[in-house]
Amino acid sequence: MDIRELDRRALATLGAVIAQVGPDQLRLPTPCADWTLHGLLRHQVSENLGFAAAAAGVTGDIRAWDQGNLGENPYQAYLDSADAMTRAFTEDVLGRSLQIREFGFFPGRVALGMHVLDCVVHGWDVAQTIGVAYDPDADLVRYSLKVAASIPTGGPSDDRPRTAFAPVVEVSEGSPDLDRLLGLVGRRPAAS
């Protein structure tokens, strides 16, 4: 499996949902606590640029993860950041150690898997916010589920500055993969 191709497809899937966002929807609340849709889109643009900066070797500068600016056209800002992300992850980056936010250093291949997960989950967040269908490819969901299951959920004794996700939401064992993924990252699937 080419993780870079999975990431390109995850970016395109998220982009297809973002393309449906109207300017009057940017103030809507999202499933991400404390974020409006504008804040969530800015976060994703920032994450794309942050991962690109990490691939370029930026370390120790958390500001590299907060450079997103939606300007007058949030969709174009997303496309530009997605393009920067894709161009940054060349084959030689996959084996290097990259600093991902304050979470630490990870092999490039692992970091890219984290990005796939981010895109798949935030695609659902955006779709839920604007009330459109969301049906990512099954292999993107299965891969994201595997990545999410490998990330510690944190707890009272966790000494990290913050956890990556909200607390796990219990989802029944026989639920679809997307619902199980959403539960792992603290979302309450509509069917639960």
Side-chain angles (χ1 to χ4, degrees):
M1 164 184 42
D2 182 351
I3 184 67
R4 292 177 303 154
E5 179 58 28
L6 272 181
D7 191 65
R8 284 189 286 272
R9 288 177 37 228
L11 282 162
T13 300
L14 174 55
V17 178
I18 293 173
Q20 299 175 66
V21 172
D24 58 324
Q25 296 172 312
L26 292 173
R27 292 184 188 260
L28 294 174
T30 70
C32 296
D34 302 325
W35 273 348
T36 63
L37 186 53
H38 182 278
L40 177 60
L41 296 180
R42 185 183 177 286
H43 162 74
Q44 189 61 52
V45 167
S46 294
E47 290 292 291
N48 291 346
L49 296 174
F51 274 95
V58 174
T59 61
D61 184 3
I62 195 68
R63 293 171 301 170
W65 292 88
D66 193 32
Q67 299 299 312
N69 181 349
L70 299 183
E72 295 297 315
N73 188 339
Y75 179 57
Q76 189 61 53
Y78 172 77
L79 292 177
D80 292 345
S81 70
D83 182 57
M85 169 69 194
T86 300
R87 282 185 287 114
F89 273 81
T90 59
E91 182 66 37
D92 69 307
V93 170
L94 297 180
R96 289 197 341 241
S97 181
L98 309 179
Q99 184 177 8
I100 304 303
R101 299 192 61 92
E102 65 274 16
F103 300 123
F105 285 84
F106 301 88
R109 184 173 304 282
V110 171
L112 200 52
M114 295 162 79
H115 187 260
V116 169
L117 168 64
D118 209 33
C119 289
V120 171
V121 170
H122 287 320
W124 181 84
D125 291 332
V126 174
Q128 288 295 297
T129 301
I130 63 173
V132 299
Y134 184 63
D135 189 26
D137 292 341
D139 63 333
L140 288 174
V141 175
R142 279 191 307 271
Y143 183 81
S144 297
L145 183 57
K146 184 174 120 179
V147 172
S150 71
I151 297 174
T153 57
S157 63
D158 196 339
D159 63 354
R160 291 177 297 168
R162 68 182 180 91
T163 58
F165 307 114
V168 172
V169 171
E170 292 299 320
V171 176
S172 66
E173 187 67 31
S175 296
D177 286 346
L178 181 58
D179 288 358
R180 291 177 36 235
L181 168 63
L182 294 169
L184 276 178
V185 297
R187 300 331 190 252
R188 187 165 305 285
S192 294

